[in-house]
């Protein structure tokens, strides 16, 4: 983004402002004429940083306990699932989030699991290949 107006923008404002504004409105374009940009700069400076967030639930032991019990029942999990190190690690990571967490979609999770599987399989193939070559040497 250029901080200074170009000569073309000043020319458009001085000689073709009405035509340009008509075109901008018809095409859903934000006017970039110097006088219009001065007004926009004050408004646009924060707009990119402001993101609407859903309601953030405040943590409490009772609300976490309630959510954990609900999850165990609805997902038909064993009571010991909450004691599993992977579950505790996930809760620990989420506890440090400042603005809530974003849970990946099913498709994103599926693709991530497939990628992990493929990487593990490739590493296993390399490992067997190296060990097969070593065993042939001895």
């Amino acid at each position: 983004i250029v901080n200074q107006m170009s000569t073309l923008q000043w020319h458009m404002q001085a000689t073709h402002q009405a035509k340009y504004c008509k075109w901008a409105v018809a095409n859903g374009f934000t006017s970039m004429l110097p006088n219009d940009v001065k007004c926009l700069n004050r408004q646009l400076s924060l707009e990119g940083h402001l993101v609407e967030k859903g309601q953030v639930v405040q943590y409490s032991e009772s609300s976490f306990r309630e959510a954990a019990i609900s999850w165990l029942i609805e997902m038909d999990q064993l009571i010991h699932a909450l004691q599993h190190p992977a579950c505790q690690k996930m809760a620990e990571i989420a506890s440090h989030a400042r603005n809530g967490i974003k849970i990946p979609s099913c498709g994103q999770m599926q693709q991530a699991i497939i990628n992990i599987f493929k990487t593990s399989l490739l590493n296993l193939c390399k490992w067997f290949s190296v060990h097969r070559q070593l065993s042939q040497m001895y």
Side-chain angles (χ1 to χ4, degrees):
I1 297 177
V2 178
N3 206 9
Q4 298 176 349
M5 295 292 131
S6 71
T7 305
L8 178 59
Q9 288 169 312
W10 288 108
H11 170 78
M12 291 295 290
Q13 181 173 290
T15 57
H16 309 288
Q17 185 172 4
K19 196 181 259 188
Y20 174 84
C21 288
K22 183 180 176 185
W23 172 85
V25 169
N27 292 289
F29 185 77
T30 303
S31 175
M32 291 295 152
L33 296 179
N35 289 342
D36 296 335
V37 171
K38 284 180 189 175
C39 296
L40 281 177
N41 279 341
R42 287 185 224 117
Q43 296 172 356
L44 293 177
S45 62
L46 288 178
E47 285 181 10
H49 301 287
L50 300 177
V51 179
E52 192 171 319
K53 298 276 184 182
Q55 182 181 4
V56 177
V57 179
Q58 292 296 326
Y59 174 82
S60 71
E61 299 253 344
S62 62
S63 65
F64 183 77
R65 184 174 178 267
E66 203 174 287
I69 291 169
S70 175
W71 178 77
L72 286 169
I73 293 168
E74 291 180 30
M75 299 305 293
D76 196 23
Q77 294 291 320
L78 298 173
I79 293 173
H80 298 289
L82 294 175
Q83 302 304 317
H84 193 279
C87 184
Q88 290 182 352
K89 180 181 179 183
M90 186 172 56
E92 179 67 24
I93 291 168
S95 72
H96 296 288
R98 292 184 179 178
N99 298 316
I101 61 170
K102 180 182 176 192
I103 298 174
S105 69
C106 292
Q108 291 170 328
M109 293 299 285
Q110 181 183 25
Q111 190 59 52
I113 291 168
I114 290 170
N115 291 344
I116 290 168
F117 175 75
K118 284 181 180 178
T119 302
S120 297
L121 197 58
L122 287 172
N123 289 337
L124 188 61
C125 288
K126 287 178 188 175
W127 187 83
F128 278 127
S129 173
V130 168
H131 283 286
R132 184 180 50 189
Q133 290 173 358
L134 289 175
S135 66
Q136 291 174 354
M137 294 173 84
Y138 297 106

